[in-house]
Amino acid sequence: MSSIVSRPAGAEPGPGSAPLRVVALGDSLTAGFGLPQPDAFPAVLQKALAAKGHNVTIANAGVSGDTTSGGLARLDWSVPDGTQAVILELGANDMLRGIDPAVPRTALEGIIAKLKERGIPVLLTGMRAAPNLGGPYAAQFEGIYTDLAKRYQLMLYPFFLDGVAGDRELLLPDGLHPNAAGVRTIVERILPTVERFLGGLPRQG
């Protein structure tokens, strides 16, 4: 494994050093629904990190339509041995289907607990509820992320679609999924949090 988690901006990987292996585990927002793979979130984030001097590979483990329960069911093969960190982005489909928040809470906690058992740090990304679901649902659903981040002492990026949700210029015609410009906006917004996350990872020997 690499002995270096991240490097100062502009630093070049040392001879023979292996990249940090990160998995982006998510749904269509991670998978890059409707976009070429180079425009999907993991690829764009990896490129942005490389530009900042970070030697990281980000595997795209996004599955369109996946719920938190689906993510839990496929966790073992989606996050292979040797993974050194996970960016967890799930919950939007549970919310869009109006699933009882207790279900995604249990599934997300199951994912986090299993990854913790494997010694894999997690950056948790949150999701907001659609206004039509009402205040009580939104409070329960959105509280899942803050509660789990606090319980498991995880770094939390509160809203994955920050700066993109509701902006038609940054969304595909369906009004839900980011277009290429939207993905770039997501990456620009989340990049400082990802850098802090990587900088706080235990160094691999």
Side-chain angles (χ1 to χ4, degrees), residues 165-176:
D167 188 337
R168 292 189 176 276
E169 292 187 359
L170 299 177
L171 296 169
L172 294 176
D174 64 12
L176 295 174

Side-chain angles (χ1 to χ4, degrees), residues 175-194:
L176 295 174
H177 296 93
N179 57 26
V183 172
R184 291 195 296 271
T185 298
I186 291 170
V187 168
E188 288 170 5
R189 300 257 180 149
I190 201 174
L191 185 60
T193 301
V194 173

Side-chain angles (χ1 to χ4, degrees), residues 65-185:
D66 220 359
T67 61
T68 54
S69 298
L72 176 59
R74 64 181 173 90
L75 181 64
D76 289 343
W77 61 264
S78 292
V79 182
D81 290 343
T83 298
Q84 293 165 276
V86 165
I87 299 172
L88 178 55
E89 176 277 305
L90 282 168
N93 289 309
D94 300 74
M95 177 272 296
L96 290 172
R97 298 175 190 181
I99 294 173
D100 183 339
V103 175
R105 177 183 291 270
T106 298
L108 284 172
E109 184 162 18
I111 291 170
I112 293 165
K114 285 192 171 187
L115 291 173
K116 185 175 181 179
E117 287 174 4
R118 294 173 60 186
I120 302 175
V122 176
L123 168 58
L124 181 62
T125 70
M127 182 55 55
R128 291 181 182 167
N132 65 299
L133 293 170
Y137 184 94
Q140 291 181 57
F141 178 79
E142 294 170 16
I144 293 170
Y145 300 95
T146 52
D147 291 350
L148 291 178
K150 183 177 180 180
R151 180 176 303 175
Y152 288 91
Q153 298 182 313
L154 305 178
M155 188 173 291
L156 172 66
Y157 184 70
F159 182 34
F160 187 78
L161 292 173
D162 181 47
V164 174
D167 188 337
R168 292 189 176 276
E169 292 187 359
L170 299 177
L171 296 169
L172 294 176
D174 64 12
L176 295 174
H177 296 93
N179 57 26
V183 172
R184 291 195 296 271
T185 298

Side-chain angles (χ1 to χ4, degrees), residues 41-52:
F41 170 73
V44 177
L45 178 58
Q46 180 177 310
K47 185 176 180 180
L49 288 167
K52 298 292 289 288

